[in-house]
Amino acid sequence: MRTSLRLSIAMIAEEFKGSIVESCFHQYDKMLLIERYRFYDGDLKLHSDTIYILKRSSLPSLELLSIEEGTSMIFLGDKEGSDCPENIAYFCISPEDVPLGVLINKLSAVFEKYRRFDHALKETVFSDDSMQKLVEIATALFGNEITIRDSGYHHIAHSYKTLRYADDPLDKAGYTAVEEIQHLKTDPDYKESLCTENVWSYQYKDHKMICFDIFVHDIFIYRVKLIDIDQDFRPYDPALFLYFVDIVKEKYLHMKDNSSDDAPRLQKIFHALLEPDTPVKEQDMQFFLKNLGLDASDRYLIISMRSGKNTGSITAYPYYNMLMDQSFDLAYSIAYEDRLAVLIKMGPEWQQKDPVPKKLLGFLRDENFRAGISFPFSDLFKASIYHQQAQIALQLGMAYAPFTWVYFFKDYRYQYLYDIVSERFPGGRYMVPELHDLLEWDRKNNTEYLKTLRLYIDNDRNVTQTAKGLSVHRSTLLYRLDKISSITHTNIEDTDTLNLFFLFLKFAGYDPGFL
């Protein structure tokens, strides 16, 4: 972070705009170069970090001077018809309109004004104040509105009027309105500038915006926007905005570095909970529960998440850990191998009709993640079992339904069992030859005994419903069931036999050639 907020000559000239008789700023009205003011006392070397006060007659021949690019001057009176070099920015004021004492007081006031802003912003960086406090101070500095949001369009901080600048652009959860998001996704100028490491601008409805994207170790963290709600942008606003962005980045790094000292221990405990053969001590479990605000009687889910982005490498996962923790009050996540492992405390949103809360589904879609989800559980000491469930669901889900966002283990458990069995045996005929015999009988005799058996099992041995599903008379169904027992040499009323048949008929659904 630079040591102090520098000023542009335009920032100083604003205090004298009614008294300036001549000026030439060139491009230097946009640059923050000036740290101090002083009277010119005959120096032959002039520095760009100083604005010099002098009469034109006091300036020696330009050939004798060494002048840094962007050096600024305040001339008392006009320049008396002489030219200034192009690398000098200046304005002239009439001593009659602005006596010397008034000039010094105004200069002192403007430097003090920005010194106070600089001090207030930097003090906030290294305090416990939130990012919102930074924005509130900077809003007064710019005279316009500011917003900071993350890659999920969620606002980290924003000034008051940004809530209303485009007909309520934020919803109750603090997200950018769908209307503006769609505009951003289709605007070609916005797309061209997206995620560059420069200040860039775009227009939305009646408002111009200056934007900057903050990256930390090549990971996108925040987008900062300045919006011209109260006044038009000034020439130096982009440079001043860059100064503010540096402050925001410094604040982010300070917050990250000063996060809980317990964080490494929490990560280590959670990692141990996910490992099948790593015991966790009782005192570590109590520490884990206490620091995360959990209770031993709570119900949890384990979610295993993998990025679908080409750039979704493990190096980016610390950012997504932070994003998960910010977005979900009841979640704790770590990078685990090439995935994110997330512990979710089940709140009321998980008890609703929809199997996945909209907030989590929105996160997955925005960040292009896929998620495998375990069964609910209460005993955290057995978290490794449920973590395996989540990993299995993720692996199978991405293989068999790659365009779906969420995979529940309960929907893939039979697929998992099928994969294990089929890996060891080339077909179910070697484990349940009875079903293979039934299939062969159907093929040779053009019957539907296998279909009948499957529907009978699916209907939990209800004869009436099965007969209705097959569109046959009850007596016909009973004849078929007797015939199935005869062909397979089994008692199909035996529960163990039916359970085995059910499982392998399920497997045959994944691969018709399995039997």
Side-chain angles (χ1 to χ4, degrees):
M1 187 186 297
R2 67 176 48 142
T3 55
S4 63
L5 169 59
R6 299 186 178 195
L7 281 59
S8 76
I9 190 170
M11 294 165 76
I12 298 172
E14 281 183 353
E15 301 296 323
F16 300 92
K17 54 188 175 184
S19 306
I20 296 176
V21 295
E22 185 183 352
S23 65
C24 183
F25 297 159
H26 302 296
Q27 73 271 30
Y28 303 117
D29 58 343
K30 305 175 184 178
M31 298 182 181
L32 305 184
L33 300 170
I34 306 168
E35 290 184 352
R36 64 187 65 83
Y37 68 89
R38 56 172 289 196
F39 286 97
Y40 176 71
D41 59 2
D43 293 346
L44 296 181
K45 185 171 183 178
L46 304 184
H47 301 279
S48 59
D49 62 0
T50 303
I51 186 166
Y52 297 91
I53 307 166
L54 71 161
K55 290 185 177 181
R56 179 63 185 89
S57 57
S58 303
L59 196 65
S61 174
L62 295 177
E63 291 78 11
L64 301 176
L65 295 177
S66 172
I67 304 175
E68 287 185 353
E69 182 79 17
T71 295
S72 302
M73 296 183 177
I74 301 175
F75 289 116
L76 303 176
D78 59 33
K79 296 197 293 73
E80 301 176 358
S82 59
D83 293 329
C84 277
E86 291 186 357
N87 62 341
I88 286 182
Y90 68 86
F91 63 87
C92 307
I93 59 175
S94 168
E96 289 78 19
D97 295 338
V98 185
L100 193 58
V102 174
L103 169 65
I104 298 304
N105 287 338
K106 282 191 173 183
L107 284 175
S108 298
V110 69
F111 276 89
E112 178 63 16
K113 168 186 172 182
Y114 288 105
R115 188 196 67 79
R116 288 180 179 273
F117 273 122
D118 186 55
H119 177 75
L121 289 168
K122 288 177 180 173
E123 188 177 57
T124 305
V125 166
F126 301 108
S127 71
D128 293 331
D129 291 322
S130 66
M131 195 71 75
Q132 180 65 31
K133 182 67 175 294
L134 270 182
V135 167
E136 291 169 1
I137 296 172
T139 300
L141 173 64
F142 287 99
N144 270 316
E145 304 303 312
I146 298 170
T147 183
I148 303 174
R149 69 170 179 78
D150 59 28
S151 62
Y153 296 101
H154 186 273
H155 281 67
I156 303 300
H158 52 77
S159 50
Y160 174 70
K161 290 184 182 177
T162 56
L163 292 171
R164 300 198 313 261
Y165 81 89
D167 301 325
D168 191 23
L170 303 183
D171 66 16
K172 292 181 180 179
Y175 288 89
T176 304
V178 173
E179 181 184 0
E180 187 185 356
I181 292 174
Q182 292 305 318
H183 168 80
L184 298 181
K185 289 181 177 179
T186 57
D187 185 285
D189 294 332
Y190 179 90
K191 281 184 169 182
E192 185 176 343
S193 303
L194 195 63
C195 291
T196 61
E197 296 197 28
N198 298 301
V199 172
W200 48 278
S201 62
Y202 77 99
Q203 177 117 6
Y204 176 64
K205 293 189 175 181
D206 297 329
H207 296 288
K208 292 180 181 178
M209 304 182 194
I210 299 175
C211 306
F212 190 88
D213 294 336
I214 297 177
F215 294 82
V216 175
H217 303 307
D218 294 328
I219 300 171
F220 175 72
I221 303 299
Y222 293 144
R223 173 160 298 145
V224 189
K225 292 196 295 187
L226 179 65
I227 310 167
D228 69 341
I229 292 178
D230 293 315
Q231 64 182 21
D232 292 336
F233 291 138
R234 301 162 296 192
Y236 54 83
D237 270 338
L240 193 60
F241 185 63
L242 266 181
Y243 156 81
F244 173 65
V245 166
D246 285 343
I247 297 280
V248 172
K249 184 174 182 178
E250 196 76 13
K251 177 67 174 176
Y252 166 80
L253 293 174
H254 178 74
M255 290 166 60
K256 186 172 181 292
D257 291 341
N258 288 272
S259 57
S260 172
D261 293 335
D262 297 326
R265 185 180 174 190
L266 286 171
Q267 292 175 7
K268 186 175 181 181
I269 294 172
F270 189 37
H271 193 279
L273 286 171
L274 301 179
E275 291 287 334
D277 302 319
T278 306
V280 176
K281 297 179 180 178
E282 180 64 37
Q283 60 264 35
D284 285 338
M285 178 62 79
Q286 294 303 321
F287 174 86
F288 186 79
L289 293 170
K290 180 180 179 181
N291 278 269
L292 296 180
L294 303 176
D295 189 89
S297 61
D298 291 332
R299 285 175 63 77
Y300 309 97
L301 294 168
I302 295 286
I303 304 179
S304 182
M305 298 170 55
R306 175 179 282 175
S307 173
K309 299 179 181 179
N310 293 332
T311 57
S313 67
I314 194 68
T315 58
Y317 282 3
Y319 163 67
Y320 291 115
N321 285 335
M322 179 198 73
L323 198 59
M324 283 291 296
D325 293 344
Q326 288 178 344
S327 301
F328 302 95
D329 294 335
L330 305 177
Y332 179 72
S333 65
I334 63 170
Y336 185 90
E337 296 176 349
D338 60 346
R339 306 174 185 88
L340 287 183
V342 186
L343 177 70
I344 292 273
K345 175 183 173 182
M346 294 181 68
E349 67 275 12
W350 286 95
Q351 314 301 329
Q352 297 172 358
K353 184 177 180 180
D354 294 335
V356 184
K358 291 181 179 179
K359 194 172 184 181
L360 176 61
L361 196 59
F363 176 89
L364 297 173
R365 287 173 174 169
D366 289 343
E367 303 303 331
N368 195 14
F369 267 85
R370 302 294 187 269
I373 301 180
S374 73
F375 278 118
F377 67 100
S378 295
D379 187 353
L380 278 177
F381 283 106
K382 297 180 180 178
S384 63
I385 298 173
Y386 297 94
H387 181 230
Q388 288 179 9
Q389 291 181 358
Q391 289 182 304
I392 291 167
L394 177 63
Q395 179 183 357
L396 294 176
M398 291 185 72
Y400 292 101
F403 301 108
T404 304
W405 302 103
V406 180
Y407 317 109
F408 285 91
F409 179 71
K410 66 182 179 64
D411 297 327
Y412 286 91
R413 49 187 161 171
Y414 291 116
Q415 178 74 58
Y416 175 61
L417 292 174
Y418 164 74
D419 287 351
I420 293 175
V421 172
S422 61
E423 184 179 349
R424 295 198 171 211
F425 293 91
R429 73 195 73 173
Y430 299 103
M431 296 188 70
V432 280
E434 301 93 339
L435 292 179
H436 178 67
D437 293 344
L438 196 61
L439 177 62
E440 289 300 308
W441 181 281
D442 282 342
R443 286 174 178 170
K444 291 178 180 179
N445 299 282
N446 196 27
T447 53
E448 292 186 329
Y449 291 147
L450 193 67
K451 177 182 177 181
T452 300
L453 177 61
R454 180 182 284 114
L455 195 59
Y456 181 64
I457 294 173
D458 289 344
N459 284 323
D460 198 22
R461 293 187 279 188
N462 187 299
V463 174
T464 302
Q465 290 182 6
T466 305
K468 184 177 180 180
L470 292 169
S471 299
V472 299
H473 194 271
R474 178 185 176 91
S475 60
T476 302
L477 174 61
L478 293 175
Y479 168 79
R480 288 187 184 182
L481 294 176
D482 286 341
K483 192 67 177 176
I484 291 169
S485 292
S486 175
I487 294 169
T488 60
H489 305 288
T490 61
N491 176 11
I492 63 170
E493 297 305 316
D494 178 66
T495 300
D496 288 342
T497 299
L498 282 185
N499 286 341
L500 184 65
F501 285 175
F502 164 78
L503 185 61
F504 278 83
L505 286 172
K506 191 81 172 178
F507 292 168
Y510 301 128
D511 178 7
F514 185 69
L515 296 179

